[in-house]
Amino acid sequence: MFSCWLSRLYWALSKPTGRTKPLIWGSLSRSLVLSSQRRIPELSSFVARTNTCGELRSSHLGQEVTLCGWIQYRRQNIFLVLRDFNGLVQVVIPQDESAASVKKILCEAPVESVVQVSGIVISRPPGQENPVSHLETKMPTGEIEIKVKTAKLLNSCKKLPFEIKDFLKKTEALRLQYRYLDLRSSQMQYNLRLRSQMVMKMREYLCNLHGFVDVETPTLFKRTPGGAKEFVIPSREPGKFYSLPQSPQQFKQLLMVGGLDRYFQVARCYRDEGSRPDRQPEFTQIDIEMSFVDQTGIQSLIEGLVQYSWPNDKDPVVVPFPSMTFAEALAGYGTDKPDTRFGMKIVDISDVFRNTEVRFLQDALSKPQGTVKAICIPEGAKYLKRKDIESIRKSAADRFKQEVLPVFLKASRNWNSPVGKLIMEEQGLQLIRLLEVQEEDVVLLTAGEREKACSLLGKLRLECADLLEAGGVVLRDPALFSFLWVVDFPLFLPKEENPKELESAHHPFTAPHPSDVHLLYTEPQKVRSQHYDLVLNGSEIGGGSIRIHDAELQRYILATILKEDVKLLSHLLQALDCGAPPHGGIALGLDRLMCLITGAPSIRDVIAFPKSFRGHDLMSNAPDSIPPEELKPYHIQVSWPTDPEAEKSSLNHPCHPES
């Protein structure tokens, strides 16, 4: 009856008879949602427990409760600590003969067995309230304990490969192999539950407050040009393959053509990037696209989204976020994702050394793009050892083929360096002024082509920060979250393998900066893009752009500048020709964002079932082999290595035709 009335009301309010109708329906739907949330039954209506372990307090004294959980710890067969997702509680094992069966269950069940206990919530004896547990952390349930009446062993646990205790160190390989056990740890529980809460609040912000539509896009797609390598999926049609999309980019643009106007998705994405540090072959992003919007509008939306969904146990996020151009980021920090929590910015000191006797500085400044750059390491002489300085110089020479000069300012205001005697007094004073050098500071100088010099010092800046913090200096407050927009990226970059050819800096659907459109036909390498990145504490957590909505401009960039086969994107070009609205969007990397918020050492610690560094699932041993007969429908034949040693090692493989 109610659903029938609700359906009639919906259609009545949805009729286009007035401008306020959709708003009325939206308000009503939100009211119904909130009303339904208030009517959610208690936990006991669904499962065989009345409460969770971590929620019991002194306000529950005298209540009879039923708890289910894992045996975390047992002490002298008198107490045991029961654990579930919500926390820990102490259970008193009965010692009287009338409860012998209960005692037998609770004393003989191995640790990590699953039990159900029923009993009365009582106060702990005087002097034992809020005790420090065996984990050396205070228990929120420390004022009470459970006097057990009945107990049931739900499932016994065999000997485990490691104990479920956070203070015990375990190798990551072991954690991934037994991921279902690692998930029981309080840290993994916190990480995954916080992730769920943030996603829920993001959905609420986008759908309920800003009218976005949650749309699922296909996972099986086709090979498309540009970007990272895609995973290939065989089909039963000879010689034809699907590809897993590296993002829903084309689909969300097509949704804008289709008039959905505001789309978002918690999207699964795939990239066949091989072994890369802290990357995953499959990952999740908050994918967003809007019509009739500019760059400022999208940035404002994302700032509100982050602020709305931010965890309550962290310091509030302050908006708007500061902004910096790509050129400013590279010049000041040597990277397009600067960590702005600390200083040590790169300073151009070329003018100081126009007349210098230092040979390698002379050589660099004599070239057209030559420059001299420097960073000042505060109290570097105090915290950096000689071996650290030598390691920095060796790293610059081996990895970047550049020379770095360390210069120390002594108390006498003289420079302690192999080239110190070549630094004239006036040059030294200018260095002190430009870099704000204090006693015991260390200045690192390098020279060369501008971008290479900045890139080198940007990496050394982070390495030196690590060294200083290892010595006890606090540069990067772990409780500080420093957001930053980086804008005005180049639209194209030279290809590494052939610098005379260009490739997209972001992706081929990014629109050029309106002021630079004319350069597309003369000097495309100078065109700026309407691309923007969101950076948090030196990590890129999101990237997006205003898109090309003109089919002819898109065709010109693909065919003429990028030399791509436009036939692969004929569907998109046809769609743009059918009245595509101006549109733009962004994608936030959910895994990276959660990693930074929780302070996890790797994104693998915020993903339920991640892959290893090499892209393997150590728990299920994926990827795995497939028998030849199962490959026949896909018209695929496995090609085995011709190397004698590799061939010898493959003969025993279950899929090998000779095995």
Side-chain angles (χ1 to χ4, degrees):
M1 188 73 177
F2 175 75
S3 60
C4 180
W5 172 83
L6 188 61
S7 177
R8 291 178 181 176
L9 181 61
Y10 168 80
W11 289 112
L13 294 177
S14 299
K15 290 179 181 179
T17 55
R19 291 181 297 174
T20 60
K21 298 300 184 184
L23 180 60
I24 295 174
W25 168 245
S27 302
L28 177 63
S29 64
R30 284 193 291 274
S31 299
L32 291 172
V33 168
L34 293 174
S35 177
S36 67
Q37 288 175 345
R38 287 193 292 269
R39 293 198 302 270
I40 292 177
E42 293 182 358
L43 184 65
S44 57
S45 301
F46 296 108
V47 293
R49 59 183 173 184
T50 61
N51 300 87
T52 59
C53 297
E55 72 175 288
L56 297 176
R57 301 289 188 273
S58 56
S59 59
H60 295 88
L61 288 175
Q63 293 185 16
E64 185 167 344
V65 297
T66 298
L67 308 175
C68 297
W70 287 265
I71 298 175
Q72 171 85 2
Y73 179 73
R74 186 166 41 233
R75 185 169 66 251
Q76 299 174 344
N77 287 343
I78 298 175
F79 303 102
L80 65 79
V81 174
L82 198 64
R83 182 194 76 243
D84 65 9
F85 75 91
N86 203 22
L88 307 170
V89 68
Q90 181 166 286
V91 172
V92 182
I93 301 174
Q95 303 297 311
D96 52 297
E97 294 183 2
S98 61
S101 61
V102 174
K103 181 178 180 180
K104 179 179 175 64
I105 290 172
L106 297 181
C107 290
E108 294 183 1
V111 172
E112 288 303 311
S113 294
V114 188
V115 296
Q116 180 188 73
V117 298
S118 296
I120 304 296
V121 181
I122 62 174
S123 295
R124 294 200 183 190
Q128 297 183 23
E129 300 90 347
N130 288 321
V132 177
S133 74
H134 69 289
L135 296 178
E136 299 184 355
T137 57
K138 289 188 176 181
M139 296 172 62
T141 59
E143 294 183 354
I144 58 94
E145 56 192 11
I146 310 300
K147 184 178 180 181
V148 176
K149 290 184 176 180
T150 63
K152 184 187 296 184
L153 178 63
L154 301 179
N155 204 342
S156 181
C157 180
K158 68 174 186 178
K159 184 175 177 58
L160 300 181
F162 54 81
E163 294 184 79
I164 313 298
K165 293 180 174 63
D166 288 336
F167 62 86
L168 293 177
K169 298 297 182 182
K170 304 173 283 288
T171 65
E172 187 177 51
L174 192 65
R175 292 177 57 208
L176 293 181
Q177 183 179 356
Y178 297 97
R179 190 61 163 186
Y180 45 85
L181 297 178
D182 188 50
L183 291 175
R184 294 183 189 176
S185 70
S186 61
Q187 188 60 58
M188 286 300 302
Q189 289 280 321
Y190 172 80
N191 291 351
L192 294 180
R193 291 181 186 278
L194 181 63
R195 177 178 175 135
S196 172
Q197 292 166 12
M198 287 196 65
V199 169
M200 180 181 69
K201 293 177 77 172
M202 288 178 177
R203 289 184 185 276
E204 183 180 283
Y205 177 85
L206 292 169
C207 294
N208 292 358
L209 302 182
H210 290 279
F212 278 77
V213 182
D214 186 351
V215 182
E216 298 169 352
T217 55
T219 299
L220 295 178
F221 193 37
K222 63 178 290 185
R223 184 179 67 86
T224 55
K229 289 184 178 180
E230 298 164 333
F231 284 101
V232 174
I233 308 297
S235 76
R236 292 175 181 265
E237 295 186 44
K240 294 191 176 181
F241 299 85
Y242 294 106
S243 284
L244 298 181
Q246 41 188 299
S247 80
Q249 180 60 46
Q250 295 178 53
F251 292 113
K252 63 183 182 180
Q253 289 193 245
L254 294 172
L255 289 171
M256 296 303 103
V257 177
L260 262 76
D261 197 86
R262 294 188 174 193
Y263 141 93
F264 102 98
Q265 181 183 187
V266 181
R268 296 294 285 169
C269 305
Y270 309 88
R271 292 180 184 174
D272 188 9
E273 295 182 320
S275 301
R276 297 189 62 181
D278 223 17
R279 294 286 184 94
Q280 288 283 290
E282 52 182 334
F283 56 96
T284 306
Q285 63 186 35
I286 305 298
D287 205 51
I288 294 171
E289 197 80 4
M290 302 171 69
S291 294
F292 311 112
V293 69
D294 59 12
Q295 179 172 314
T296 303
I298 292 176
Q299 290 175 340
S300 178
L301 174 86
I302 296 304
E303 290 168 354
L305 174 69
V306 171
Q307 189 178 51
Y308 187 86
S309 60
W310 197 249
N312 293 329
D313 61 348
K314 308 294 181 185
D315 290 338
V317 172
V318 179
V319 297
F321 301 152
S323 183
M324 183 183 299
T325 67
F326 170 79
E328 290 170 340
L330 188 64
Y333 298 92
T335 176
D336 59 1
K337 41 183 181 292
D339 189 339
T340 55
R341 289 176 294 175
F342 67 104
M344 292 169 55
K345 291 180 65 174
I346 300 169
V347 177
D348 191 319
I349 55 172
S350 301
D351 290 341
V352 176
F353 290 100
R354 290 296 175 191
N355 300 311
T356 181
E357 297 180 24
V358 182
R359 185 60 180 272
F360 100 98
L361 299 182
Q362 282 182 344
D363 292 343
L365 291 173
S366 65
K367 297 175 182 177
Q369 298 295 322
T371 184
V372 180
K373 302 283 186 178
I375 59 172
C376 179
I377 307 168
E379 297 187 284
K382 180 179 178 182
Y383 292 100
L384 298 184
K385 300 176 182 177
R386 181 181 295 273
K387 66 176 184 179
D388 295 328
I389 297 295
E390 289 305 313
S391 175
I392 288 171
R393 297 188 67 178
K394 189 175 186 303
S395 174
D398 294 346
R399 293 167 53 195
F400 304 101
K401 311 302 179 188
Q402 288 183 251
E403 186 174 352
V404 169
L405 283 180
V407 184
F408 301 76
L409 182 63
K410 297 191 296 186
S412 62
R413 310 297 283 178
N414 292 325
W415 296 95
N416 182 9
S417 169
V419 296
K421 61 183 179 181
L422 300 178
I423 299 177
M424 295 181 289
E425 183 179 356
E426 179 61 29
Q427 291 173 336
L429 292 174
Q430 289 184 61
L431 273 181
I432 292 172
R433 179 177 56 81
L434 288 173
L435 293 163
E436 299 180 354
V437 186
Q438 304 292 325
E439 290 180 12
E440 294 194 314
D441 288 356
V442 174
V443 175
L444 295 182
L445 303 176
T446 192
E449 191 271 325
R450 188 182 69 88
E451 286 193 11
K452 289 183 179 179
C454 288
S455 179
L456 168 62
L457 289 180
K459 291 177 173 63
L460 295 184
R461 173 178 179 267
L462 297 177
E463 287 184 22
C464 291
D466 291 338
L467 291 170
L468 290 176
E469 290 184 334
V473 180
V474 179
L475 285 178
R476 296 167 289 194
D477 183 355
L480 177 63
F481 294 93
S482 180
F483 287 92
L484 173 73
W485 288 108
V486 179
V487 300
D488 288 352
F489 285 81
L491 186 60
F492 307 111
L493 293 173
K495 289 184 177 180
E496 287 188 14
E497 63 274 14
N498 186 1
K500 292 184 179 180
E501 295 183 2
L502 298 177
E503 62 183 359
S504 297
H506 186 43
H507 58 56
F509 316 114
T510 301
H513 195 286
S515 302
D516 296 350
V517 172
H518 65 285
L519 296 174
L520 284 172
Y521 309 98
T522 56
E523 298 177 287
Q525 70 276 8
K526 294 184 178 181
V527 178
R528 292 170 297 162
S529 69
Q530 295 189 69
H531 165 205
Y532 33 85
D533 277 354
L534 182 58
V535 176
L536 173 59
N537 293 356
S539 293
E540 178 194 336
I541 62 166
S545 66
I546 300 300
R547 323 300 187 190
I548 299 170
H549 66 280
D550 178 82
E552 285 306 311
L553 178 58
Q554 183 69 83
R555 188 176 287 107
Y556 175 81
I557 287 176
L558 287 169
T560 306
I561 298 178
L562 299 178
K563 315 295 184 186
E564 298 284 2
D565 183 2
V566 295
K567 292 180 181 178
L568 293 172
L569 292 167
S570 59
H571 56 283
L572 179 63
L573 293 171
Q574 290 172 5
L576 295 180
D577 259 334
C578 297
H583 59 281
I586 193 171
L588 298 180
L590 183 61
D591 308 311
R592 173 61 58 198
L593 175 61
M594 295 309 307
C595 181
L596 293 170
I597 290 175
T598 61
S602 164
I603 62 170
R604 293 183 286 276
D605 288 317
V606 296
I607 301 172
F609 297 100
K611 303 293 187 294
S612 70
F613 171 74
R614 296 187 178 277
H616 295 168
D617 181 351
L618 302 183
M619 182 181 64
S620 66
N621 197 33
D624 204 353
S625 54
I626 297 178
E629 60 270 17
E630 293 186 19
L631 291 175
K632 287 182 180 179
Y634 300 102
H635 312 280
I636 292 177
Q637 184 176 0
V638 175
S639 176
W640 294 91
T642 56
D643 178 68
E645 288 299 319
E647 186 172 1
K648 182 179 178 181
S649 65
S650 67
L651 285 176
N652 294 325
H653 197 284
C655 282
H656 196 282
E658 297 181 12
S659 64

